């Protein structure tokens, strides 16, 4: 006789064999995978949140692998979870449909985990994805720096990452998403003071102007100096803000000068709130890439988000 434990897991496995996962555990797993949290899955299944947590732990013990990374809000599926969902979702969905217990479309949709630079996500990506969210696509957005986000993508914590450089190695695939042009800018008050001097003296004219940047090592400004002036940037930052939107706000207020992606300050350049201090014929360009793990994603919404971003990127 086969017994069922109180957590919903099946006992009585034959000696020497791995226990077969109970259907209830797999249903709970799929609900968590698709909803993005134990609490949301409990609401879908009509269970308590502690019961869902216990069942997931039981399934993780049976498989011997971690299925979800516990986050401050919700969970992120691991690579093992993505693989398991690919294998169990079709038969479980077919069984639910055959027995008349198929869940509603909004309950079946798994969130798409998308990460990238916060400024680009907020100013370009989220507006571009608005049509999909209106159609029921669920998004979990994570801002951050490219290197750690790519590591998390390899570990299965994200579905897609917008990277500021092409990922190395074969663990990830990437396609060009957009080119961002860098612009040397300041508020009109500073442009009036140093505009002519910059033409006559070169970049040395800016040494008396505060430099606003998002990091102490001045990555964007240093690249601009090498590309446009053919020189090494030697002045230190007066203000650092780890968000280019904060840099933009400080420069508009007259705090000093900076180098920004044109997409971020295009409206301010058009309105005159910012003035380009230099108009090089060959401005520095950086290519952003859309990265993901190889293979067909288990969640079809990942492909929908990817395709829409690539299409939108052609116009950015």
């Amino acid at each position: 006789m086969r017994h069922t434990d109180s957590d919903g897991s099946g006992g009585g496995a034959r000696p020497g064999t791995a226990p077969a996962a109970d259907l209830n555990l797999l249903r709970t797993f799929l609900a968590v995978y698709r909803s993005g949290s134990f609490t949301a899955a409990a609401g879908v299944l009509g269970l308590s949140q502690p019961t869902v947590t216990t069942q997931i732990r039981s399934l993780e013990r049976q498989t011997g692998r971690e299925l979800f990374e516990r986050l401050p809000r919700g969970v992120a599926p691991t690579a093992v979870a993505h693989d398991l969902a690919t294998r169990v979702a079709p038969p479980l969905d077919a069984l639910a449909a055959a027995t008349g217990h198929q869940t509603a479309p909004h309950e079946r949709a798994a969130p798409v985990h998308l990460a990238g630079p916060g400024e680009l996500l907020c100013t370009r990506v989220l507006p571009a994805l608005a049509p999909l969210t209106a159609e029921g696509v669920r998004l979990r957005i994570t801002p951050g720096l490219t290197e750690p986000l790519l590591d998390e993508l390899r570990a299965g914590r994200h579905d897609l990452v917008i990277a500021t450089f092409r990922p190395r190695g074969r663990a990830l695939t990437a396609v060009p998403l957009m080119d961002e042009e860098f612009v040397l800018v300041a508020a009109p008050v500073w442009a009036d003071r140093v505009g002519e001097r910059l033409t006559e003296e070169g970049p040395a004219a800016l040494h008396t102007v505060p430099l606003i940047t998002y990091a102490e090592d001045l990555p964007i400004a240093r690249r601009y100096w090498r590309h446009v002036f053919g020189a090494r940037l030697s002045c230190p930052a007066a203000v650092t803000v780890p968000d280019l939107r904060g840099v933009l706000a400080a420069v508009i207020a007259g705090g000093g000068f900076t180098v920004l992606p044109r997409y971020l300050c295009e409206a301010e350049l058009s309105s005159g709130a910012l003035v380009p201090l230099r108009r090089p014929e060959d401005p520095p360009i950086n290519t952003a890439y859309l990265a993901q793990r190889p293979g067909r994603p288990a969640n079809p919404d990942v492909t929908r988000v990817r395709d829409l971003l690539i299409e939108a990127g052609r116009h950015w």
Side-chain angles (χ1 to χ4, degrees):
M1 177 180 293
R2 187 173 183 276
H3 300 281
T4 301
D5 297 331
S6 60
D7 64 1
S9 61
R14 290 176 297 168
T17 64
D22 186 281
L23 278 179
N24 288 332
L25 300 189
L26 293 177
R27 290 191 184 100
T28 300
F29 159 76
L30 199 57
V32 174
Y33 180 87
R34 286 171 166 169
S35 65
S37 78
F38 291 167
T39 301
V44 170
L45 298 168
L47 301 174
S48 68
Q49 188 270 336
T51 298
V52 170
T53 301
T54 299
Q55 291 187 352
I56 293 300
R57 287 175 178 167
S58 178
L59 185 58
E60 288 178 327
R61 287 195 300 270
Q62 289 188 18
T63 60
R65 304 291 293 275
E66 184 183 32
L67 296 173
F68 299 100
E69 180 194 6
R70 278 63 168 176
L71 303 175
R73 293 185 179 181
V75 295
T78 65
V80 175
H82 287 304
D83 178 68
L84 180 60
T86 300
R87 290 185 285 115
V88 305
L92 285 180
D93 287 343
L95 180 60
T99 57
H101 296 290
Q102 192 169 11
T103 54
H106 73 277
E107 295 173 340
R108 296 200 309 271
V112 177
H113 293 263
L114 171 65
E119 304 87 358
L120 183 58
L121 290 171
C122 292
T123 59
R124 287 287 188 267
V125 172
L126 287 174
L129 295 179
L132 289 186
T133 60
E135 295 171 7
V137 174
R138 303 171 65 219
L139 298 171
R140 298 294 179 267
I141 304 298
T142 302
L145 299 176
T146 290
E147 196 71 63
L149 290 180
L150 290 177
D151 288 340
E152 293 170 359
L153 177 62
R154 296 182 184 98
R157 298 180 189 177
H158 308 297
D159 297 305
L160 298 166
V161 166
I162 299 174
T164 55
F165 55 82
R166 183 185 290 275
R168 297 177 293 273
R170 299 181 179 180
L172 301 175
T173 62
V175 295
L177 180 63
M178 63 174 287
D179 288 333
E180 52 182 5
E181 174 192 336
F182 292 127
V183 189
L184 180 65
V185 296
V189 61
W190 284 111
D192 292 342
R193 293 184 193 179
V194 302
E196 292 185 6
R197 290 179 52 207
L198 185 60
T199 302
E200 297 171 358
E201 304 173 21
L206 291 172
H207 287 180
T208 58
V209 184
L211 170 58
I212 317 296
T213 185
Y214 81 93
E216 290 286 352
D217 58 349
L218 320 175
I220 298 178
R222 284 191 294 106
R223 178 173 180 176
Y224 189 96
W225 249 244
R226 288 196 306 267
H227 185 92
V228 175
F229 298 121
R232 181 176 176 271
L233 177 61
S234 57
C235 60
V239 178
T240 62
V241 187
D243 189 312
L244 288 178
R245 290 163 296 185
V247 173
L248 173 64
V251 176
I252 291 173
F257 79 96
T258 193
V259 179
L260 290 172
R262 180 176 287 276
Y263 78 81
L264 189 62
C265 59
E266 199 161 22
E268 289 75 16
L269 289 171
S270 298
S271 69
L274 290 181
V275 178
L277 299 178
R278 188 87 174 206
R279 291 183 172 86
E281 294 183 3
D282 178 29
I285 299 291
N286 187 65
T287 300
Y289 294 86
L290 187 59
Q292 64 184 119
R293 292 179 300 280
R296 185 180 181 87
N299 181 1
D301 284 347
V302 174
T303 301
R304 296 178 66 190
V305 170
R306 176 186 181 274
D307 291 347
L308 183 56
L309 285 178
I310 292 174
E311 175 61 29
R314 297 190 179 107
H315 307 286
W316 290 343

